[in-house]
Amino acid sequence: MAFLVVARESWFVVSTGSSSTNPRRIDWSVVSSYAELLKTPGVARIIAAQLTARFPNGMLSLAFLLHIEHQTGSYGAAGLVLASTSIGQAIAGPLTSRLMGVWGMRRVITITMIVCALAVTSIAVIGMPVPLYMVVGFIAGITTPPIQPAVRTIYPKMVNSQQLTPLFSLDASAQEIIWVLGPVITTFVSLQIGTVYGILLAVVFLIGGGIWFLSSPELGRVRIPRSRRRLGVVLTKPTVLLATITGFLLVGACAAIEAGVVSVFGEGGAEAGIVLAIFAIGSLVGGLSFGHIPISPWALARRMFIVFVGMAAASAALNVWWLAITLFVAGIGIAPALAVLFAIVSSSVKFSDTAEAYGWVGTGQLIGAALGSAIAGFLIDHSGSVGAFWAAGGFALLGFLAAFIGRRWSPDLRGRDASPIPDTQPVPVQPS
């Protein structure tokens, strides 16, 4: 019932004007505001560039799962490789984000991009025993380029305070192309052409998108100040911890769903890609529709509940029509939930701590993608395809409970600026 109320509010706006005004009307500014936002200099370009650079984040978990399973004949072995990759990503997120305040964004992103591309390519083209796959996977994980914390730190310097929350919503909708459409592309390429090509396509996005993002002038205009706190202190903020845990569980649920869909329909048809595409469409519709709903302390729990309902229902019948319907419902909550995560983190930390805070949030999401696929793989081996949907439902339920319990730490952003807390010292801005 809660998600029906939220969905209704996404299309209609309650007027707070005089009594003579129609109390419930369609707010066409919701539609036009995204177009106006994209006209802001640099916004469309940097969204597209960072989206391309981060696209492998939504491809590699499933690509590794398929490739290692082909090489070893075991989803369990693939799960071990994904787990080692997730450990590397857990270390990398906050660490490389902090380094950007010391070495600069361009230098850190360039170095990590090159090493990560070499490691991922090695997994694709070199046959290895499982322990060596795990080592190379760890290297690929620890050198994941910190694109997300960089762009989240840049956003508040590109738009005014009124545009920041809609920008987070638009970015969250675009991010769903990474987490949901990315696996669709990986599925088609890996199953129709070959798993090696599925991984190498991710490398093309990694390098091409990384170069595009590095060429953005905004990286030269904004310098992340060196944080004066110890590494990890920002994670003691309840809001940052809430966003990290919930993001981990949300993306873990999505990754388990993706593995389950591929397992259900096998490698011979296009049904898996179609179902995942519908999943993506649901998320895009939700993100664009909910973008201007004011963020209350209950917003995250409500949106996670939508995800849980859809994913829990999906396991009832593993056929293409039922999965398409239930996953479309689940998708409606995904991008709106991510938008809440970005906004509450931005409004709760100082500018010098934003990169590290988003590094932790990004780490949670990347670990969720890897472990969601890994746990789903083990359950598929032992319980069949339905095991992956059980895993997804479990992740989504825990995500809803985390958001419900943590609502007391979720700031009320209704009518409030979502920009980071200013530092006490001036933040240098370099001319382009």
Side-chain angles (χ1 to χ4, degrees), residues 250 253 302-312 329-331 333-334 337 396:
L250 173 60
R302 288 171 178 166
R303 299 171 193 207
M304 285 301 303
F305 182 72
I306 300 173
V307 179
F308 165 65
V309 168
M311 291 187 176
V329 172
I334 295 173

Side-chain angles (χ1 to χ4, degrees), residues 173-193:
S173 299
Q175 178 171 279
E176 285 314 294
I177 298 175
I178 296 174
W179 295 116
V180 187
L181 191 57
V184 173
I185 295 174
T186 301
T187 300
F188 275 116
V189 173
S190 297
L191 302 185
Q192 302 301 323
I193 303 176

Side-chain angles (χ1 to χ4, degrees), residues 84-160:
S84 66
T85 303
S86 72
I87 293 172
Q89 291 168 339
I91 298 171
L95 180 61
T96 54
S97 300
R98 291 274 295 206
L99 287 176
M100 289 193 294
V102 180
W103 294 349
M105 286 185 280
R106 282 198 170 106
R107 181 180 299 178
V108 173
I109 292 172
T110 300
I111 293 173
T112 54
M113 179 183 69
I114 293 171
V115 178
C116 185
L118 291 173
V120 173
T121 301
S122 298
I123 290 178
V125 301
I126 301 175
M128 313 176 196
V130 172
L132 191 53
Y133 273 129
M134 293 173 63
V135 172
V136 179
F138 175 82
I139 295 172
I142 202 171
T143 57
T144 301
I147 303 293
Q148 176 169 279
V151 75
R152 300 283 186 275
T153 303
I154 291 171
Y155 279 161
K157 302 302 178 182
M158 297 182 65
V159 298
N160 59 46

Side-chain angles (χ1 to χ4, degrees), residues 190-278:
S190 297
L191 302 185
Q192 302 301 323
I193 303 176
T195 58
V196 170
Y197 295 98
I199 296 175
L200 292 180
L201 180 60
V203 175
V204 171
F205 279 109
L206 174 68
I207 296 175
I211 293 173
W212 187 9
F213 184 73
L214 289 169
S215 67
S216 301
E218 287 77 15
L219 269 73
R221 294 183 189 140
V222 178
R223 183 178 68 82
I224 300 175
R226 186 192 296 261
S227 177
R228 291 171 291 175
R229 302 186 181 201
R230 296 190 309 275
L231 178 66
V233 170
V234 71
L235 196 58
T236 62
K237 287 184 172 293
T239 303
V240 178
L241 184 61
L242 171 64
T244 301
I245 293 173
T246 307
F248 158 74
L249 294 168
L250 173 60
V251 176
C254 293
I257 283 290
E258 290 151 9
V261 169
V262 171
S263 175
V264 168
F265 298 108
E267 304 183 4
E271 291 92 343
I274 293 172
V275 171
L276 292 177
I278 293 172

Side-chain angles (χ1 to χ4, degrees), residues 46 50 60 62 69 77 91-92 130-131 215 234 239 256 340 385-386 397:
I46 202 164
Q50 64 92 14
L60 286 176
L62 188 55
E69 191 277 332
I91 298 171
V130 172
S215 67
V234 71
T239 303
V340 174
S385 299
V386 71
L397 175 60

Side-chain angles (χ1 to χ4, degrees), residues 400-417:
F400 164 68
L401 293 176
F404 178 80
I405 295 170
R407 68 191 185 281
R408 69 186 69 180
W409 299 300
S410 184
D412 190 344
L413 299 181
R414 291 173 291 188
R416 184 183 146 192
D417 186 1

